[in-house]
Amino acid sequence: MAEAEAKRVASDERAAFDWLGALRDAGFLGLLTLGLSFPIIAFRTRQDLWQGLVLDPRWELVTVLVAIAFTARFCWLVFGNRLAGGVQSLAERVGSTLSPLKSYTATFRLVGLAWLIAYPFLAVLFAGPGGALKWIDNFGIQILIYVMLGWGLNIVVGLAGLLDLGYVAFYAVGAYSTALLSTYFGFSFWLCLPLAGIFAALWGILLGFPVLRLRGDYLAIVTLAFGEIIRLVLINWVELTNGAAGISGIPRPTFFGLPFNASDEGFAAFFGLQFTPLHRLFFLFYLILLLALLTNWVTIRLRRLPIGRAWEALREDEIACRSLGIDTVTTKLTAFSIGAMFGGIAGAFFAARLGFISPKSFEFMESAVILSIVVLGGMGSQIGVAIAAVVMIGGTEMLRELVWLKAIFGAGFDPTQYRMLLFGMAMVAMMVWRPRGLISKREPSIVLHEKRAIGGELVKEGQG
Amino acid sequence: MAAPAIDPNAGLDAEPILRVEHLTMRFGGLVAVNDLSFDVARGQITALIGPNGAGKTTVFNCITGFYKPSSGRIVLMSDGALPGPAIDALTDTSMRSRRVGDGGIYLLERMPDSEIAAQARVARTFQNIRLFTGMTVLENLIVAQHNWLNRASGYSLLGLVGAKSFRDAEARAVEIAVAWLDRIGLKGRADDPAGALPYGDQRRLEIVRAMCTGPVLLCLDEPAAGLNPRESAELNELLLSIRDSNGTSLLLIEHDMSVVMEISDHIIVLEYGKKISDGTPEYIKNDPKVIAAYLGVEDEEVDDAAAELDQ
């Protein structure tokens, strides 16, 4: 009955569709495209032999673009409503399948963990020892680093609601302290790992102090500047950091003193195994998995402690916090320093994994990627951040797999060039259909009768 | 009208818990509060009333440290401390507070907001409710007990390893929260987000959240704003029970005269940042200055003026 009603309404809508209006609207967009492309696309500029400016007109390209804009707009007006509804319901369905997953947390966690532990073996099984290198290194380890960074930043942005655009600075501090301590003083990786965390935490406090009174845009700008300052110091303090050339020869992590090499003292020889570079990758994979899980465990634990609740309360309403006698200074500083600490530990791992670091790895783009992982995942949601990291970093790596597209678009086509475009499109799509991130629900930190997730519309994002 | 023959301080013999002296607050050229002095009596309900823009909320913000007063002294005397030379001696030093006997004296104008709440134990609510809307009702009340819980968690270290002492402390905090929720009849909604509660419940929850900090003085900024008569009556009951069974002194700003006259022991009237009257509800009700401030001039005078114009 209701269905028939809906069908009748839909057919009425179709009958009443304003074709002329749609044509006019699409025509207007076509004209707009023409106007826009005239100064940008219509002419290619080059210099001739006499240094004079030559304009090569490209009217075919402009015509194609205008045609695309016109057709796309027209199709959108005709079919768009249904398409948008479809995507909306799809997004909702994805969201609602993810939410129950959260309520079966125990099972989900166990299956996820089992899969993660089995992952390197599965990679070897399916891709062979040679092919597995890529899957463990580029996908497994790379994604897990970003998961850990995302979780670290989640403390600052997701829980405490402090917008930090310079998080990569702490990653850099961790990486450079490991590199410098090990190359100058010969500290082992295992000593550098906690030290890097401590140094990064100290830098977190150092950044925290001047920005305590800042909120929102101002906080974002200062943290952004902080990230850039660290990078510029690393580039320009050549005597210490070797400048833009970076530091190489950072000792690789060892397995309780056993290096991963083909020598007689190596890991393979000690355990009587055939030497293969896979050993090191397996080790690195499990190490970063362990570090990421540690980050997760600590965060989940802290969320249920007074300090974690104070962070969330700070995100909800700073003035109310102060009226309840909560010391907002220490609350903010602990959030900054603990978030920074995990960034620093991830940095130490990063330095030891590659054996080489340079300021190039710590550009603003990295901060932006980590922040978008947190925002896309759903601020404050641990599992959401992990999923976002898999999608974003895994997706970027997947682009490299699309070389077969060269057969269609010609040899000059490089799919990785479209990374930022896809990134932006994913962002826009998210903002339209799931503005609070993949998982926007908040789980209460303490329960009296029955655990119920809190809808994202009530949870605030913080102003600082 | 003849001056009322009512003793302004009938029955007001309690010692003060808060003494505001010569408080002045300027914003640029605007004097929001001008040389204001009053006492808040221990264990009583004191109301601060006055027309819109009289400076009531500014006084509140000065007392709770959200504003730093331009000049004046605000002394809180907790746990039996009395006014006396010790306060003047403390004022001459650069210290903020001092223990006296069992209690302490706190110079609130020298302390920042969170310290006033944590050390001097002055709690407040806001005109526009400031609950943590995305947190549950229970979480709101647990956050209010942050300071002692955080100490009990060994500044997170004991809590991180799940020490029994911390789990016991947390259970105790939940007990306190549940006891308060029981008192306002919201125990059944403990796990709902605070933002999903009806307006009246949010008002009472905010008051209860402030009480969870264990205050000696509770400052309420228009607690009855937007409440219907039934909710107002429930609020009266709650405030009286806070005064009687918890021994907390209350200072409230309120426009709703049914609340003010019914529960206040003592009323202070402000107009244009100055105190125009100070006494029992009975005295205030009959004070011509208060009537003039609220209603403008009296009807007869209006009639007289109209008659003069006609001539």
Side-chain angles (χ1 to χ4, degrees):
Chain A
M1 172 74 189
E3 212 168 295
E5 178 77 1
K7 246 179 214 164
R8 200 181 52 77
V9 170
S11 65
D12 274 4
E13 265 174 20
R14 216 168 306 154
F17 188 77
D18 180 8
W19 292 96
L20 205 65
L23 267 177
R24 201 182 304 136
D25 193 328
F28 177 72
L29 194 80
L31 274 178
L32 197 71
T33 316
L34 182 67
L36 276 177
S37 52
F38 185 77
I40 306 171
I41 301 169
F43 296 99
R44 182 197 285 275
T45 59
R46 61 180 169 88
Q47 287 178 329
D48 61 14
L49 289 175
W50 299 272
Q51 306 284 323
L53 186 68
V54 179
L55 296 175
D56 294 336
R58 301 194 291 177
W59 295 113
E60 318 79 17
L61 190 60
V62 172
T63 319
V64 169
L65 283 175
V66 170
I68 288 176
F70 177 84
T71 325
R73 178 67 188 168
F74 189 70
C75 291
W76 176 256
L77 287 173
V78 178
F79 308 109
N81 273 338
R82 255 166 295 162
L83 190 68
V87 176
Q88 176 87 51
S89 67
L90 182 73
E92 266 159 22
R93 214 170 306 147
V94 170
S96 55
T97 29
L98 287 176
S99 317
L101 278 185
K102 260 188 104 178
S103 46
Y104 302 122
T105 330
T107 345
F108 180 67
R109 214 181 281 160
L110 227 68
V111 172
L113 197 64
W115 193 85
L116 275 172
I117 291 173
Y119 176 80
F121 293 100
L122 291 176
V124 174
L125 197 68
F126 287 107
L133 287 178
K134 180 184 77 187
W135 286 98
I136 298 175
D137 201 16
N138 292 4
F139 284 87
I141 296 176
Q142 185 78 0
I143 289 174
L144 282 172
I145 288 181
Y146 279 92
V147 169
M148 181 171 176
L149 288 170
W151 278 341
L153 185 61
N154 200 16
I155 295 175
V156 186
V157 178
L159 293 184
L162 303 162
L163 186 55
D164 184 352
L165 285 182
Y167 190 65
V168 79
F170 306 121
Y171 190 39
V173 166
Y176 267 86
S177 26
T178 301
L180 295 173
L181 287 174
S182 58
T183 51
Y184 278 77
F185 302 109
F187 283 18
S188 80
F189 168 73
W190 293 106
L191 187 57
C192 289
L193 199 65
L195 282 179
I198 292 169
F199 284 148
L202 288 177
W203 279 94
I205 294 173
L206 210 66
L207 166 69
F209 263 115
V211 302
L212 279 173
R213 296 172 153 276
L214 302 180
R215 319 180 86 191
D217 308 353
Y218 303 97
L219 177 71
I221 291 167
V222 174
T223 51
L224 172 76
F226 177 76
E228 285 301 288
I229 288 169
I230 293 276
R231 192 175 63 89
L232 289 175
V233 167
L234 291 178
I235 291 177
N236 290 301
W237 196 353
V238 179
E239 299 82 47
L240 184 73
T241 65
N242 200 21
I247 300 175
S248 55
I250 302 163
R252 302 302 187 85
T254 57
F255 184 80
F256 299 106
L258 297 173
F260 290 94
N261 55 23
S263 73
D264 287 346
E265 288 86 42
F267 175 83
F270 186 84
F271 286 98
L273 300 166
Q274 180 78 39
F275 171 76
T276 138
L278 272 176
H279 290 157
R280 190 214 307 279
L281 284 185
F282 268 58
F283 172 71
L284 287 174
F285 179 86
Y286 287 121
L287 179 61
I288 186 67
L289 180 62
L290 207 69
L291 291 174
L293 289 177
L294 178 78
T295 313
N296 185 35
W297 182 80
V298 170
T299 311
I300 289 176
R301 253 348 241 257
L302 284 176
R303 244 198 100 216
R304 296 191 188 134
L305 290 181
I307 187 66
R309 289 198 198 101
W311 288 339
E312 292 203 78
L314 192 69
R315 177 194 67 205
E316 295 281 322
D317 194 327
E318 184 176 344
I319 289 177
C321 276
R322 301 205 315 244
S323 81
L324 297 174
I326 295 173
D327 185 352
T328 50
V329 172
T330 43
T331 307
K332 282 184 185 179
L333 287 184
T334 46
F336 266 120
S337 61
I338 292 176
M341 181 181 79
F342 289 122
I345 293 176
F349 175 85
F350 174 78
R353 169 200 177 204
L354 294 178
F356 165 77
I357 51 169
S358 80
K360 199 100 184 80
S361 310
F362 308 108
E363 285 180 342
F364 169 66
M365 203 50 227
E366 292 297 308
S367 286
V369 168
I370 303 165
L371 186 65
S372 21
I373 286 174
V374 174
V375 173
L376 288 182
M379 298 208 294
S381 161
Q382 294 289 98
I383 192 75
V385 167
I387 293 171
V390 171
V391 171
M392 294 208 17
I393 306 303
T396 314
E397 289 297 320
M398 274 299 192
L399 284 178
R400 287 187 219 282
E401 304 296 305
L402 299 179
V403 279
W404 53 269
L405 283 174
K406 281 189 185 185
I408 303 170
F409 294 104
F413 181 77
D414 179 7
T416 51
Q417 299 251 311
Y418 292 84
R419 181 178 160 217
M420 282 299 133
L421 186 70
L422 292 174
F423 225 70
M425 273 156 56
M427 281 280 189
V428 171
M430 287 292 294
M431 292 307 113
V432 172
W433 286 297
R434 286 198 79 81
R436 301 315 281 304
L438 277 175
I439 294 179
S440 54
K441 288 198 162 59
R442 176 182 173 273
E443 235 176 276
S445 63
I446 190 165
V447 174
L448 191 62
H449 311 290
E450 177 203 0
K451 193 179 214 166
R452 278 182 297 236
I454 298 170
E457 66 283 356
L458 289 171
V459 182
K460 301 204 173 101
E461 289 130 339
Q463 302 137 316
Chain B
M1 194 200 246
I6 301 170
D7 176 9
N9 296 312
L12 294 181
D13 46 5
E15 61 205 34
I17 186 166
L18 179 81
R19 174 160 283 179
V20 176
E21 294 164 289
H22 306 292
L23 177 69
T24 299
M25 182 74 208
R26 285 186 211 93
F27 297 103
L30 178 82
V31 184
V33 179
N34 193 357
D35 197 26
L36 175 71
S37 301
F38 65 89
D39 278 356
V40 174
R42 189 182 306 277
Q44 296 196 339
I45 297 180
T46 306
L48 199 56
I49 64 171
N52 285 329
K56 304 180 296 290
T57 299
T58 308
V59 172
F60 251 50
N61 283 337
C62 288
I63 293 173
T64 51
F66 282 81
Y67 291 160
K68 201 161 177 53
S70 309
S71 63
R73 183 166 73 174
I74 307 171
V75 193
L76 184 98
M77 292 150 276
S78 68
D79 300 323
L82 291 171
I87 294 174
D88 291 329
L90 177 65
T91 310
D92 289 336
T93 68
S94 60
M95 315 259 287
R96 292 168 172 174
S97 63
R98 197 180 139 186
R99 298 216 60 84
V100 179
D102 290 336
I105 44 180
Y106 300 87
L107 298 178
L108 301 189
E109 80 279 6
R110 294 183 181 179
M111 299 166 74
D113 41 24
S114 64
E115 239 172 66
I116 287 179
Q119 291 170 17
R121 309 220 309 286
V122 177
R124 73 168 290 177
T125 64
F126 297 87
Q127 220 173 81
N128 46 337
I129 306 173
R130 284 186 174 273
L131 285 171
F132 306 124
T133 53
M135 301 175 89
T136 65
V137 170
L138 180 64
E139 280 181 304
N140 267 274
L141 301 191
I142 301 289
V143 168
Q145 305 178 51
H146 174 81
N147 282 317
W148 76 270
L149 265 183
N150 199 28
R151 275 193 296 279
S153 77
Y155 299 96
S156 302
L157 292 177
L158 286 174
L160 210 53
V161 295
K164 188 171 181 308
S165 63
F166 170 67
R167 277 177 303 166
D168 290 347
E170 195 174 64
R172 174 92 195 92
V174 172
E175 253 171 55
I176 294 173
V178 168
W180 276 109
L181 287 178
D182 243 348
R183 270 171 84 166
I184 56 169
L186 284 181
K187 191 178 163 191
R189 305 207 61 179
D191 295 323
D192 286 341
L197 293 182
Y199 188 81
D201 288 344
Q202 292 197 15
R203 278 258 173 236
R204 284 182 302 150
L205 179 63
E206 199 195 16
I207 294 171
V208 164
R209 184 181 68 177
M211 283 308 293
C212 276
T213 63
V216 294
L217 175 65
L218 176 62
C219 301
L220 305 169
D221 198 345
E222 295 199 25
L227 298 189
N228 62 35
R230 189 180 54 80
E231 290 169 330
S232 276
E234 284 173 357
L235 176 79
N236 285 357
E237 217 171 285
L238 174 67
L239 297 186
L240 289 172
S241 91
I242 286 173
R243 180 193 67 181
D244 297 334
S245 50
N246 295 79
T248 306
S249 317
L250 282 92
L251 173 63
L252 56 102
I253 293 177
E254 192 47 74
H255 282 298
D256 185 338
M257 286 303 146
S258 71
V259 173
V260 173
M261 293 300 167
E262 201 165 306
I263 65 170
S264 314
D265 301 301
H266 177 196
I267 297 176
I268 294 147
V269 189
L270 291 190
E271 192 187 20
Y272 300 118
K274 287 190 141 174
K275 184 164 84 174
I276 57 168
S277 191
D278 183 342
T280 59
E282 193 55 30
Y283 172 77
I284 296 294
K285 252 187 247 178
N286 297 298
D287 187 344
K289 274 190 288 188
V290 178
I291 296 167
Y294 266 87
L295 304 177
V297 286
E298 302 208 46
D299 284 348
E300 294 131 320
E301 288 177 45
V302 175
D303 291 343
D304 290 349
E308 267 173 45
L309 276 177
D310 283 343
Q311 284 172 1

